Amino acid sequence: GTEKLHPIVARGILLDIAGSKGVEFLEPGYLITMDDVRAALLWQEMEDFEFQPGDALLFRTGWEKFWVVDNKRYNGGEPGIGMEVARWVAEIKAGVTGADNWGVEVIPHPDPACVGCVHNFLQTRHGIVNQENLTLAELARDGAYVFLYVFIPVPIKGATGSIGSPIAVR
């Protein structure tokens, strides 16, 4: 349970996928690929960026704009990462993934056999914490692509998730 999850203090990296594509938001079912990650890094002038174990990787899809405003749309599917990006995240030994949507991974997934497979791969197999429903538009607007990321989970015994307000310090 989250009572065993320690406070998280990490280097945060914003990957502004929507911004790099010049759109306000990505459509539900949009699968973020490694080409998208590389394009975002290039657009953010970070093409030579060196990731480190424990980094918190936050994917901006623009989906937060629908949170509470249009819950039917927000909950009806989402853009997000698939297994290609999840494997990369595990390979670089990131400590956290996060996004401005409710699951980080693409829903619906193009492969019907991959329902929840990103969650299972990152969290269960690799112990990588997943942060959902993040507000990332302000970081993107300010060009804050690298920052101190802090999250202190509420220690709810037996829970698989925790409420809280992550903080980005630039």
Side-chain angles (χ1 to χ4, degrees):
T2 60
E3 78 277 9
K4 296 179 179 150
L5 186 61
H6 54 79
I8 298 168
V9 179
R11 181 175 66 164
I13 294 96
L14 176 65
L15 297 163
D16 189 359
I17 308 299
S20 71
K21 294 190 160 304
V23 297
E24 189 176 356
F25 60 89
L26 303 171
E27 294 294 334
Y30 183 89
L31 177 66
I32 296 170
T33 66
M34 283 307 300
D35 285 343
D36 292 323
V37 169
R38 285 186 285 274
L41 289 167
L42 180 65
W43 182 76
Q44 294 172 197
E45 299 180 357
M46 297 173 61
E47 59 269 23
D48 296 323
F49 188 79
E50 292 189 31
F51 292 90
Q52 298 174 4
D55 282 345
L57 308 180
L58 310 181
F59 298 87
R60 183 179 166 283
T61 68
W63 208 238
E64 73 182 73
K65 84 174 261 123
F66 301 114
W67 175 252
V68 182
V69 175
D70 186 349
N71 286 339
K72 183 175 181 181
R73 184 168 188 176
Y74 186 81
N75 292 317
E78 66 183 21
I81 66 173
M83 286 304 298
E84 177 191 30
V85 173
R87 285 185 189 93
W88 169 72
V89 166
E91 181 181 299
I92 65 170
K93 297 180 176 22
V96 177
T97 56
D100 55 358
N101 57 28
W102 50 268
V104 180
E105 67 186 281
V106 61
I107 298 174
H109 195 285
D111 176 359
C114 188
V115 176
C117 63
V118 171
H119 268 71
N120 183 46
F121 181 80
L122 291 176
Q123 294 178 339
T124 308
R125 286 186 168 181
H126 294 280
I128 298 170
V129 174
N130 191 39
Q131 294 268 268
E132 302 162 344
N133 303 313
L134 297 174
T135 301
L136 301 176
E138 293 171 7
L139 290 173
R141 180 197 66 218
D142 294 345
Y145 302 124
V146 181
F147 45 86
L148 173 66
Y149 177 85
V150 180
F151 178 72
I152 301 172
V154 177
I156 303 167
K157 187 172 183 178
T160 59
S162 175
I163 58 172
S165 295
I167 298 169
V169 180
R170 190 166 178 216

